[in-house]
PDB file of all heavy atoms in Angstrom:
ATOM      1  N   ALA A   1     210.382 -20.667  44.744  1.00  0.00           N
ATOM      2  CA  ALA A   1     209.884 -19.862  43.603  1.00  0.00           C
ATOM      3  C   ALA A   1     210.841 -18.754  43.263  1.00  0.00           C
ATOM      4  O   ALA A   1     211.100 -18.451  42.059  1.00  0.00           O
ATOM      5  CB  ALA A   1     208.519 -19.359  43.884  1.00  0.00           C
ATOM      6  N   MET A   2     211.397 -18.134  44.301  1.00  0.00           N
ATOM      7  CA  MET A   2     212.365 -17.037  44.038  1.00  0.00           C
ATOM      8  C   MET A   2     213.652 -17.586  43.399  1.00  0.00           C
ATOM      9  O   MET A   2     214.179 -16.914  42.500  1.00  0.00           O
ATOM     10  CB  MET A   2     212.706 -16.336  45.372  1.00  0.00           C
ATOM     11  CG  MET A   2     211.625 -15.326  45.809  1.00  0.00           C
ATOM     12  SD  MET A   2     211.271 -13.950  44.571  1.00  0.00           S
ATOM     13  CE  MET A   2     212.900 -13.134  44.604  1.00  0.00           C
ATOM     14  N   LYS A   3     214.053 -18.757  43.785  1.00  0.00           N
ATOM     15  CA  LYS A   3     215.213 -19.400  43.178  1.00  0.00           C
ATOM     16  C   LYS A   3     214.949 -19.722  41.709  1.00  0.00           C
ATOM     17  O   LYS A   3     215.770 -19.509  40.829  1.00  0.00           O
ATOM     18  CB  LYS A   3     215.589 -20.665  43.917  1.00  0.00           C
ATOM     19  CG  LYS A   3     216.174 -20.426  45.317  1.00  0.00           C
ATOM     20  CD  LYS A   3     216.477 -21.744  45.970  1.00  0.00           C
ATOM     21  CE  LYS A   3     216.960 -21.589  47.386  1.00  0.00           C
ATOM     22  NZ  LYS A   3     217.233 -22.856  48.085  1.00  0.00           N
ATOM     23  N   ARG A   4     213.688 -20.199  41.456  1.00  0.00           N
ATOM     24  CA  ARG A   4     213.360 -20.494  40.064  1.00  0.00           C
ATOM     25  C   ARG A   4     213.287 -19.204  39.214  1.00  0.00           C
ATOM     26  O   ARG A   4     213.726 -19.226  38.102  1.00  0.00           O
ATOM     27  CB  ARG A   4     211.997 -21.190  40.015  1.00  0.00           C
ATOM     28  CG  ARG A   4     211.674 -21.837  38.688  1.00  0.00           C
ATOM     29  CD  ARG A   4     212.451 -23.167  38.442  1.00  0.00           C
ATOM     30  NE  ARG A   4     211.736 -24.219  39.118  1.00  0.00           N
ATOM     31  CZ  ARG A   4     212.281 -24.818  40.210  1.00  0.00           C
ATOM     32  NH1 ARG A   4     213.430 -24.446  40.707  1.00  0.00           N
ATOM     33  NH2 ARG A   4     211.650 -25.883  40.729  1.00  0.00           N
ATOM     34  N   ALA A   5     212.806 -18.173  39.807  1.00  0.00           N
ATOM     35  CA  ALA A   5     212.745 -16.835  39.115  1.00  0.00           C
ATOM     36  C   ALA A   5     214.171 -16.371  38.726  1.00  0.00           C
ATOM     37  O   ALA A   5     214.370 -15.889  37.651  1.00  0.00           O
ATOM     38  CB  ALA A   5     211.991 -15.812  39.920  1.00  0.00           C
ATOM     39  N   GLU A   6     215.058 -16.530  39.675  1.00  0.00           N
ATOM     40  CA  GLU A   6     216.448 -16.114  39.432  1.00  0.00           C
ATOM     41  C   GLU A   6     217.064 -16.959  38.339  1.00  0.00           C
ATOM     42  O   GLU A   6     217.819 -16.455  37.504  1.00  0.00           O
ATOM     43  CB  GLU A   6     217.233 -16.194  40.728  1.00  0.00           C
ATOM     44  CG  GLU A   6     218.684 -15.637  40.572  1.00  0.00           C
ATOM     45  CD  GLU A   6     218.791 -14.185  40.190  1.00  0.00           C
ATOM     46  OE1 GLU A   6     217.778 -13.446  40.294  1.00  0.00           O
ATOM     47  OE2 GLU A   6     219.856 -13.760  39.822  1.00  0.00           O
ATOM     48  N   SER A   7     216.733 -18.254  38.326  1.00  0.00           N
ATOM     49  CA  SER A   7     217.275 -19.163  37.290  1.00  0.00           C
ATOM     50  C   SER A   7     216.722 -18.695  35.915  1.00  0.00           C
ATOM     51  O   SER A   7     217.443 -18.746  34.921  1.00  0.00           O
ATOM     52  CB  SER A   7     216.892 -20.630  37.579  1.00  0.00           C
ATOM     53  OG  SER A   7     217.484 -21.088  38.789  1.00  0.00           O
ATOM     54  N   LEU A   8     215.426 -18.390  35.886  1.00  0.00           N
ATOM     55  CA  LEU A   8     214.804 -17.908  34.622  1.00  0.00           C
ATOM     56  C   LEU A   8     215.501 -16.633  34.185  1.00  0.00           C
ATOM     57  O   LEU A   8     215.763 -16.448  32.983  1.00  0.00           O
ATOM     58  CB  LEU A   8     213.305 -17.681  34.859  1.00  0.00           C
ATOM     59  CG  LEU A   8     212.454 -18.924  34.900  1.00  0.00           C
ATOM     60  CD1 LEU A   8     211.057 -18.554  35.485  1.00  0.00           C
ATOM     61  CD2 LEU A   8     212.267 -19.560  33.572  1.00  0.00           C
ATOM     62  N   ARG A   9     215.734 -15.710  35.138  1.00  0.00           N
ATOM     63  CA  ARG A   9     216.332 -14.421  34.726  1.00  0.00           C
ATOM     64  C   ARG A   9     217.690 -14.641  34.118  1.00  0.00           C
ATOM     65  O   ARG A   9     218.028 -14.041  33.088  1.00  0.00           O
ATOM     66  CB  ARG A   9     216.459 -13.523  35.999  1.00  0.00           C
ATOM     67  CG  ARG A   9     216.878 -12.119  35.698  1.00  0.00           C
ATOM     68  CD  ARG A   9     217.175 -11.347  36.984  1.00  0.00           C
ATOM     69  NE  ARG A   9     218.387 -11.874  37.631  1.00  0.00           N
ATOM     70  CZ  ARG A   9     219.615 -11.555  37.298  1.00  0.00           C
ATOM     71  NH1 ARG A   9     219.887 -10.794  36.248  1.00  0.00           N
ATOM     72  NH2 ARG A   9     220.655 -12.071  37.957  1.00  0.00           N
ATOM     73  N   LEU A  10     218.513 -15.506  34.755  1.00  0.00           N
ATOM     74  CA  LEU A  10     219.852 -15.749  34.265  1.00  0.00           C
ATOM     75  C   LEU A  10     219.843 -16.481  32.946  1.00  0.00           C
ATOM     76  O   LEU A  10     220.673 -16.199  32.046  1.00  0.00           O
ATOM     77  CB  LEU A  10     220.650 -16.603  35.341  1.00  0.00           C
ATOM     78  CG  LEU A  10     221.011 -15.835  36.592  1.00  0.00           C
ATOM     79  CD1 LEU A  10     221.647 -16.820  37.602  1.00  0.00           C
ATOM     80  CD2 LEU A  10     221.971 -14.644  36.279  1.00  0.00           C
ATOM     81  N   ALA A  11     218.937 -17.434  32.795  1.00  0.00           N
ATOM     82  CA  ALA A  11     218.797 -18.191  31.549  1.00  0.00           C
ATOM     83  C   ALA A  11     218.478 -17.253  30.397  1.00  0.00           C
ATOM     84  O   ALA A  11     219.074 -17.387  29.254  1.00  0.00           O
ATOM     85  CB  ALA A  11     217.732 -19.247  31.681  1.00  0.00           C
ATOM     86  N   ILE A  12     217.617 -16.326  30.595  1.00  0.00           N
ATOM     87  CA  ILE A  12     217.231 -15.366  29.520  1.00  0.00           C
ATOM     88  C   ILE A  12     218.380 -14.411  29.223  1.00  0.00           C
ATOM     89  O   ILE A  12     218.666 -14.115  28.057  1.00  0.00           O
ATOM     90  CB  ILE A  12     215.970 -14.588  29.944  1.00  0.00           C
ATOM     91  CG1 ILE A  12     214.757 -15.568  30.036  1.00  0.00           C
ATOM     92  CG2 ILE A  12     215.682 -13.432  29.007  1.00  0.00           C
ATOM     93  CD1 ILE A  12     213.545 -14.978  30.715  1.00  0.00           C
ATOM     94  N   ALA A  13     219.025 -13.970  30.275  1.00  0.00           N
ATOM     95  CA  ALA A  13     220.181 -13.020  30.093  1.00  0.00           C
ATOM     96  C   ALA A  13     221.326 -13.675  29.291  1.00  0.00           C
ATOM     97  O   ALA A  13     222.109 -12.982  28.664  1.00  0.00           O
ATOM     98  CB  ALA A  13     220.717 -12.518  31.404  1.00  0.00           C
ATOM     99  N   ARG A  14     221.441 -15.014  29.395  1.00  0.00           N
ATOM    100  CA  ARG A  14     222.523 -15.741  28.728  1.00  0.00           C
ATOM    101  C   ARG A  14     222.066 -16.278  27.362  1.00  0.00           C
ATOM    102  O   ARG A  14     222.885 -16.957  26.687  1.00  0.00           O
ATOM    103  CB  ARG A  14     222.980 -16.938  29.592  1.00  0.00           C
ATOM    104  CG  ARG A  14     223.617 -16.477  30.923  1.00  0.00           C
ATOM    105  CD  ARG A  14     223.766 -17.630  31.850  1.00  0.00           C
ATOM    106  NE  ARG A  14     224.440 -17.279  33.131  1.00  0.00           N
ATOM    107  CZ  ARG A  14     224.435 -17.973  34.207  1.00  0.00           C
ATOM    108  NH1 ARG A  14     223.831 -19.165  34.259  1.00  0.00           N
ATOM    109  NH2 ARG A  14     225.046 -17.533  35.304  1.00  0.00           N
ATOM    110  N   ALA A  15     220.883 -16.031  26.947  1.00  0.00           N
ATOM    111  CA  ALA A  15     220.341 -16.647  25.743  1.00  0.00           C
ATOM    112  C   ALA A  15     220.417 -15.777  24.502  1.00  0.00           C
ATOM    113  O   ALA A  15     219.657 -15.887  23.562  1.00  0.00           O
ATOM    114  CB  ALA A  15     218.843 -17.004  25.947  1.00  0.00           C
ATOM    115  N   GLY A  16     221.391 -14.858  24.471  1.00  0.00           N
ATOM    116  CA  GLY A  16     221.556 -13.994  23.327  1.00  0.00           C
ATOM    117  C   GLY A  16     221.875 -14.798  22.019  1.00  0.00           C
ATOM    118  O   GLY A  16     222.370 -15.905  22.128  1.00  0.00           O
ATOM    119  N   PHE A  17     221.648 -14.214  20.912  1.00  0.00           N
ATOM    120  CA  PHE A  17     221.890 -14.890  19.621  1.00  0.00           C
ATOM    121  C   PHE A  17     222.260 -13.870  18.560  1.00  0.00           C
ATOM    122  O   PHE A  17     222.143 -12.628  18.703  1.00  0.00           O
ATOM    123  CB  PHE A  17     220.619 -15.693  19.202  1.00  0.00           C
ATOM    124  CG  PHE A  17     219.409 -14.834  19.003  1.00  0.00           C
ATOM    125  CD1 PHE A  17     219.118 -14.353  17.638  1.00  0.00           C
ATOM    126  CD2 PHE A  17     218.536 -14.492  19.979  1.00  0.00           C
ATOM    127  CE1 PHE A  17     218.002 -13.622  17.442  1.00  0.00           C
ATOM    128  CE2 PHE A  17     217.430 -13.738  19.742  1.00  0.00           C
ATOM    129  CZ  PHE A  17     217.110 -13.302  18.481  1.00  0.00           C
ATOM    130  N   LEU A  18     222.731 -14.409  17.423  1.00  0.00           N
ATOM    131  CA  LEU A  18     223.081 -13.539  16.329  1.00  0.00           C
ATOM    132  C   LEU A  18     221.994 -13.644  15.239  1.00  0.00           C
ATOM    133  O   LEU A  18     221.721 -14.768  14.738  1.00  0.00           O
ATOM    134  CB  LEU A  18     224.426 -14.029  15.729  1.00  0.00           C
ATOM    135  CG  LEU A  18     225.248 -13.064  14.924  1.00  0.00           C
ATOM    136  CD1 LEU A  18     225.616 -11.838  15.743  1.00  0.00           C
ATOM    137  CD2 LEU A  18     226.486 -13.704  14.346  1.00  0.00           C
ATOM    138  N   TYR A  19     221.377 -12.535  14.942  1.00  0.00           N
ATOM    139  CA  TYR A  19     220.292 -12.557  13.947  1.00  0.00           C
ATOM    140  C   TYR A  19     220.821 -12.232  12.605  1.00  0.00           C
ATOM    141  O   TYR A  19     221.593 -11.275  12.399  1.00  0.00           O
ATOM    142  CB  TYR A  19     219.211 -11.517  14.414  1.00  0.00           C
ATOM    143  CG  TYR A  19     218.007 -11.502  13.413  1.00  0.00           C
ATOM    144  CD1 TYR A  19     217.153 -12.617  13.369  1.00  0.00           C
ATOM    145  CD2 TYR A  19     217.730 -10.412  12.635  1.00  0.00           C
ATOM    146  CE1 TYR A  19     216.087 -12.610  12.539  1.00  0.00           C
ATOM    147  CE2 TYR A  19     216.634 -10.403  11.741  1.00  0.00           C
ATOM    148  CZ  TYR A  19     215.851 -11.515  11.713  1.00  0.00           C
ATOM    149  OH  TYR A  19     214.789 -11.498  10.847  1.00  0.00           O
ATOM    150  N   ALA A  20     220.396 -13.012  11.595  1.00  0.00           N
ATOM    151  CA  ALA A  20     220.842 -12.810  10.219  1.00  0.00           C
ATOM    152  C   ALA A  20     222.362 -12.856  10.121  1.00  0.00           C
ATOM    153  O   ALA A  20     222.950 -12.195   9.244  1.00  0.00           O
ATOM    154  CB  ALA A  20     220.236 -11.528   9.601  1.00  0.00           C
ATOM    155  N   ASP A  21     222.982 -13.619  11.008  1.00  0.00           N
ATOM    156  CA  ASP A  21     224.433 -13.839  10.977  1.00  0.00           C
ATOM    157  C   ASP A  21     225.260 -12.522  11.247  1.00  0.00           C
ATOM    158  O   ASP A  21     226.481 -12.588  11.074  1.00  0.00           O
ATOM    159  CB  ASP A  21     224.899 -14.451   9.668  1.00  0.00           C
ATOM    160  CG  ASP A  21     224.330 -15.830   9.431  1.00  0.00           C
ATOM    161  OD1 ASP A  21     224.155 -16.532  10.488  1.00  0.00           O
ATOM    162  OD2 ASP A  21     224.054 -16.198   8.309  1.00  0.00           O
ATOM    163  N   LYS A  22     224.602 -11.443  11.652  1.00  0.00           N
ATOM    164  CA  LYS A  22     225.427 -10.234  11.841  1.00  0.00           C
ATOM    165  C   LYS A  22     224.879  -9.300  12.973  1.00  0.00           C
ATOM    166  O   LYS A  22     225.625  -8.397  13.385  1.00  0.00           O
ATOM    167  CB  LYS A  22     225.515  -9.469  10.582  1.00  0.00           C
ATOM    168  CG  LYS A  22     224.182  -9.061   9.903  1.00  0.00           C
ATOM    169  CD  LYS A  22     224.404  -8.365   8.584  1.00  0.00           C
ATOM    170  CE  LYS A  22     223.119  -7.968   7.961  1.00  0.00           C
ATOM    171  NZ  LYS A  22     223.284  -7.276   6.644  1.00  0.00           N
ATOM    172  N   HIS A  23     223.675  -9.516  13.455  1.00  0.00           N
ATOM    173  CA  HIS A  23     223.120  -8.599  14.443  1.00  0.00           C
ATOM    174  C   HIS A  23     223.004  -9.288  15.794  1.00  0.00           C
ATOM    175  O   HIS A  23     222.149 -10.177  15.961  1.00  0.00           O
ATOM    176  CB  HIS A  23     221.711  -8.131  14.013  1.00  0.00           C
ATOM    177  CG  HIS A  23     221.668  -7.441  12.690  1.00  0.00           C
ATOM    178  ND1 HIS A  23     222.268  -6.230  12.490  1.00  0.00           N
ATOM    179  CD2 HIS A  23     221.122  -7.790  11.523  1.00  0.00           C
ATOM    180  CE1 HIS A  23     222.079  -5.794  11.240  1.00  0.00           C
ATOM    181  NE2 HIS A  23     221.411  -6.750  10.638  1.00  0.00           N
ATOM    182  N   PRO A  24     223.849  -8.957  16.775  1.00  0.00           N
ATOM    183  CA  PRO A  24     223.720  -9.561  18.099  1.00  0.00           C
ATOM    184  C   PRO A  24     222.460  -9.107  18.805  1.00  0.00           C
ATOM    185  O   PRO A  24     222.130  -7.897  18.806  1.00  0.00           O
ATOM    186  CB  PRO A  24     224.997  -9.097  18.839  1.00  0.00           C
ATOM    187  CG  PRO A  24     225.408  -7.805  18.089  1.00  0.00           C
ATOM    188  CD  PRO A  24     224.950  -7.984  16.670  1.00  0.00           C
ATOM    189  N   VAL A  25     221.717 -10.041  19.363  1.00  0.00           N
ATOM    190  CA  VAL A  25     220.480  -9.721  20.129  1.00  0.00           C
ATOM    191  C   VAL A  25     220.684 -10.249  21.512  1.00  0.00           C
ATOM    192  O   VAL A  25     220.843 -11.449  21.728  1.00  0.00           O
ATOM    193  CB  VAL A  25     219.279 -10.372  19.486  1.00  0.00           C
ATOM    194  CG1 VAL A  25     218.036 -10.087  20.311  1.00  0.00           C
ATOM    195  CG2 VAL A  25     219.081  -9.856  18.025  1.00  0.00           C
ATOM    196  N   ASN A  26     220.721  -9.335  22.480  1.00  0.00           N
ATOM    197  CA  ASN A  26     220.795  -9.683  23.872  1.00  0.00           C
ATOM    198  C   ASN A  26     219.505  -9.301  24.602  1.00  0.00           C
ATOM    199  O   ASN A  26     218.863  -8.305  24.287  1.00  0.00           O
ATOM    200  CB  ASN A  26     221.959  -8.951  24.544  1.00  0.00           C
ATOM    201  CG  ASN A  26     223.305  -9.399  23.966  1.00  0.00           C
ATOM    202  OD1 ASN A  26     223.643 -10.596  23.898  1.00  0.00           O
ATOM    203  ND2 ASN A  26     224.054  -8.412  23.421  1.00  0.00           N
ATOM    204  N   MET A  27     219.086 -10.128  25.561  1.00  0.00           N
ATOM    205  CA  MET A  27     217.786  -9.916  26.187  1.00  0.00           C
ATOM    206  C   MET A  27     217.889 -10.049  27.736  1.00  0.00           C
ATOM    207  O   MET A  27     218.740 -10.776  28.217  1.00  0.00           O
ATOM    208  CB  MET A  27     216.798 -10.990  25.677  1.00  0.00           C
ATOM    209  CG  MET A  27     216.598 -10.969  24.137  1.00  0.00           C
ATOM    210  SD  MET A  27     215.893 -12.532  23.558  1.00  0.00           S
ATOM    211  CE  MET A  27     217.211 -13.672  23.830  1.00  0.00           C
ATOM    212  N   THR A  28     217.047  -9.320  28.400  1.00  0.00           N
ATOM    213  CA  THR A  28     216.830  -9.499  29.844  1.00  0.00           C
ATOM    214  C   THR A  28     215.372  -9.485  30.114  1.00  0.00           C
ATOM    215  O   THR A  28     214.541  -9.151  29.178  1.00  0.00           O
ATOM    216  CB  THR A  28     217.513  -8.349  30.597  1.00  0.00           C
ATOM    217  OG1 THR A  28     216.883  -7.104  30.263  1.00  0.00           O
ATOM    218  CG2 THR A  28     218.974  -8.320  30.375  1.00  0.00           C
ATOM    219  N   ALA A  29     214.983  -9.868  31.319  1.00  0.00           N
ATOM    220  CA  ALA A  29     213.555  -9.912  31.707  1.00  0.00           C
ATOM    221  C   ALA A  29     213.379  -9.399  33.103  1.00  0.00           C
ATOM    222  O   ALA A  29     214.266  -9.526  33.923  1.00  0.00           O
ATOM    223  CB  ALA A  29     212.991 -11.299  31.504  1.00  0.00           C
ATOM    224  N   SER A  30     212.222  -8.824  33.328  1.00  0.00           N
ATOM    225  CA  SER A  30     211.821  -8.468  34.650  1.00  0.00           C
ATOM    226  C   SER A  30     210.745  -9.469  35.116  1.00  0.00           C
ATOM    227  O   SER A  30     209.901  -9.879  34.356  1.00  0.00           O
ATOM    228  CB  SER A  30     211.186  -7.062  34.737  1.00  0.00           C
ATOM    229  OG  SER A  30     212.153  -6.117  34.244  1.00  0.00           O
TER     230      SER A  30
END
């Protein structure tokens, strides 16, 4: 479960996107 949590954390941290083609949105989770 701890390994899965770390995989989730990394997946979210790497899932940034560009909103309206000009605003970078980066995310993390606890």
Side-chain angles (χ1 to χ4, degrees):
M2 281 300 295
K3 290 178 183 178
R4 193 75 82 251
E6 183 62 14
S7 295
L8 286 166
R9 188 189 70 79
L10 289 173
I12 293 167
R14 294 167 178 165
F17 62 93
L18 202 62
Y19 182 67
D21 296 326
K22 58 182 178 180
H23 301 292
V25 178
N26 297 304
M27 302 162 293
T28 63
S30 301

